[in-house]
């Protein structure tokens, strides 16, 4: 799914950024987020737990480099807020809630909760781990 989000510059100013959320049923616990902005033709990538994104739709979730907050009527903020960290800094994003909610629903339909482990190719994963030694 590709969506335009707002990169929060200040309390009253945002800059549009393109976000691409992707999900691969062969890595069922993980979502991937690619971000690119108008001033930077490059792309930044984050991988994090699908459960983290889901829980952040309803309550503040995460720690470290990925944090998620639900929409907040009290602050007139209709989007899901993502805080993404890197070695060089952080970016705060306001993501439209409806497309994100619909996309997450499709990932849960593809791989329902509790069925993630059955989708992993454990032999290949073990082989990769052993090759990295």
């Amino acid at each position: 799914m590709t969506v335009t989000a707002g990169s929060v510059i200040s309390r009253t100013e945002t800059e549009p950024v393109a976000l691409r959320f992707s999900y691969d049923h062969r890595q069922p616990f993980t979502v991937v987020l690619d971000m690119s902005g108008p001033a930077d033709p490059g792309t930044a990538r984050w991988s994090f737990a699908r459960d983290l994104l889901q829980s952040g739709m309803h309550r503040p979730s995460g720690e470290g480099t990925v944090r998620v907050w639900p929409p907040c009527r009290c602050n007139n903020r209709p989007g899901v807020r993502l805080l993404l960290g890197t070695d060089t800094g952080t970016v705060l994003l306001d993501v439209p809630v409806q497309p994100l909610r619909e996309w997450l629903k499709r990932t849960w339909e593809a791989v329902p909760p509790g069925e993630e482990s059955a989708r992993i190719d454990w032999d290949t994963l073990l082989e990769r781990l052993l090759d990295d030694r």
Side-chain angles (χ1 to χ4, degrees):
M1 167 192 75
T2 301
V3 65
T4 300
S7 175
V8 178
I9 306 300
S10 71
R11 201 172 250 281
T12 59
E13 185 180 6
T14 62
E15 180 176 304
V17 292
L19 302 180
R20 183 176 181 275
F21 289 88
S22 55
Y23 180 75
D24 183 344
H25 68 276
R26 294 170 295 183
Q27 296 181 352
F29 292 107
T30 306
V31 296
V32 175
L33 171 60
D34 293 305
M35 180 182 75
S36 59
D40 183 6
T43 300
R45 174 172 277 189
W46 288 267
S47 297
F48 50 92
R50 175 174 66 159
D51 285 345
L52 171 65
L53 191 55
Q54 181 67 46
S55 66
M57 299 287 286
H58 307 286
R59 65 184 175 281
S61 300
E63 56 186 51
T65 59
V66 179
R67 298 178 187 193
V68 186
W69 292 272
C72 181
R73 282 184 240 136
C74 60
N75 290 328
N76 198 26
R77 186 174 43 79
V80 172
R81 188 156 270 187
L82 290 176
L83 179 67
L84 304 170
T86 69
D87 293 339
T88 59
T90 59
V91 63
L92 183 60
L93 303 169
D94 282 329
V95 182
V97 69
Q98 196 58 36
L100 184 57
R101 182 177 286 129
E102 290 170 5
W103 178 80
L104 267 171
K105 181 181 175 193
R106 289 192 302 274
T107 73
W108 292 112
E109 290 168 352
V111 180
E115 292 185 18
E116 294 94 345
S117 292
R119 303 292 181 109
I120 295 175
D121 182 349
W122 292 104
D123 292 332
T124 301
L125 180 62
L126 181 59
E127 186 178 302
R128 285 185 193 155
L129 290 172
L130 294 174
D131 285 346
D132 287 343
R133 290 190 306 161

